[in-house]
Amino acid sequence: MSRLAAGVVLVTAREPGLDPDDPTAPAGEDVGMTATAFLSVSLDPPLVMVSLREGSRMDDLLAEQPLWAVSVLAESQRHIAGRFAMKGRISDRLLFEDIPYVRGAASDAPLIGGALSTLECRTEQTVTAGDHTLVIGRVLTASLPSADGGPLTYFRGRYRGLG
């Protein structure tokens, strides 16, 4: 499959706080994950799908939290893709520290600044497929925050631009 070029996205979600009814309880944390297995499923209704490694932090979170977001990364955002794809990485809170983002109105998830497009989704269905979970989400909002540059792609084990 390394010979199949794929677009690169950052999937994000807001982990709920430990006790939403207690203002003194620790707040939730932002979680992010680089994905190359992301695609449009339907235009009516608008549905997308992302493939998550079973048992990953994002898989566990989206099993409980139905709201999530996707930022389609530009070729200038390789550092973001690499940062959120690291194994054994530091906490997600630190990974988001120096990345510009806004919170999605529908999902409260981070939407990455400079992304070619952003989507906010609500999980409609999950399908177990081997060692992955396919998460199908209804698109709640879509925006085009940046028209600059081309898409970031992944091909033969490396991040690349189209050119």
Side-chain angles (χ1 to χ4, degrees):
M1 295 305 291
S2 69
R3 304 256 176 180
L4 177 64
V8 182
V9 301
L10 185 67
V11 179
T12 57
R14 179 81 176 157
E15 185 175 52
L18 291 179
D19 184 355
D21 297 328
D22 179 0
T24 63
E29 188 172 280
D30 294 322
V31 177
M33 179 199 98
T34 302
T36 56
F38 174 77
L39 57 96
S40 172
V41 173
S42 168
L43 293 176
D44 188 18
L47 300 173
V48 294
M49 186 202 74
V50 65
S51 179
L52 308 175
R53 184 177 38 82
E54 190 175 80
S56 67
R57 184 166 183 202
M58 188 62 74
D59 182 42
D60 292 343
L61 176 55
L62 293 190
E64 295 180 22
Q65 161 63 284
L67 298 172
W68 45 284
V70 175
S71 297
V72 177
L73 298 180
E75 58 193 344
S76 64
Q77 295 178 310
R78 288 176 199 221
H79 64 290
I80 295 172
R83 180 183 295 189
F84 284 90
M86 287 188 304
K87 292 190 187 322
R89 63 191 194 206
I90 57 177
S91 81
D92 283 19
R93 179 181 50 81
L94 296 175
L95 295 178
F96 280 103
E97 245 179 22
D98 63 345
I99 295 174
Y101 67 87
V102 297
R103 289 218 172 271
S107 67
D108 200 33
L111 302 171
I112 304 304
L116 295 179
S117 64
T118 58
L119 308 168
E120 292 182 275
C121 304
R122 181 184 64 240
T123 300
E124 292 275 312
Q125 181 180 0
T126 60
V127 177
T128 301
D131 61 357
H132 278 66
T133 303
L134 307 179
V135 180
I136 299 169
R138 180 180 296 259
V139 177
L140 303 173
T141 70
S143 65
L144 303 171
S146 176
D148 295 337
L152 181 61
T153 61
Y154 193 74
F155 180 67
R156 296 179 82 180
R158 292 184 36 212
Y159 296 115
R160 304 168 185 263
L162 280 182

